[in-house]
Amino acid sequence: VTDPESDQAVANTIGSIGTAALAGIMVEKIPVNVLALNGIMPTVESLENGRYPLAKDLHFVTMSPLSVSAQKFLDFIYSDRGRDIVKGFGVLTFTGKE
């Protein structure tokens, strides 16, 4: 089962509870109630200030040589515009290529 399928199953099952990535819920517009953890809602701000403790890392792994298309994609992802887009979906970004 994929994350979107799991999220939709929770949304379609009355009284269910499940885990999901906030970004996935926001992107797919899944009609679920997002719950607080220890009284803290999952937001970019609560991740940034360290109050929300549950997060997962996303890494891009590439092989050499990198294709022109792949390089353009990564350049966009790491651009200010790319970062702004994902931040709007609950993704905390860092300032440089880690």
Side-chain angles (χ1 to χ4, degrees):
V1 175
T2 65
D3 286 348
E5 290 169 332
S6 176
D7 298 344
Q8 197 60 57
V10 170
N12 292 339
T13 306
I14 295 172
S16 66
I17 189 168
T19 60
L22 182 61
I25 291 170
M26 294 174 71
V27 167
E28 298 292 329
K29 297 179 175 57
I30 304 293
V32 294
N33 296 318
V34 176
L35 304 176
L37 177 63
N38 296 330
I40 309 296
M41 290 300 291
T43 65
V44 171
E45 292 76 23
S46 63
L47 285 170
E48 283 177 326
N49 65 27
R51 293 188 66 222
Y52 192 80
L54 186 59
K56 64 180 176 180
D57 293 332
L58 174 65
H59 299 272
F60 294 101
V61 179
T62 62
M63 297 176 63
S64 292
L66 197 59
S67 72
V68 172
S69 297
Q71 186 62 58
K72 285 181 181 180
F73 173 74
L74 290 176
D75 289 344
F76 175 74
I77 291 296
Y78 286 107
S79 72
D80 289 342
R81 183 163 186 266
R83 290 172 188 277
D84 287 344
I85 289 169
V86 297
K87 190 172 184 177
F89 288 106
V91 175
L92 177 62
T93 64
F94 296 96
T95 57
K97 295 178 185 176
E98 314 309 318

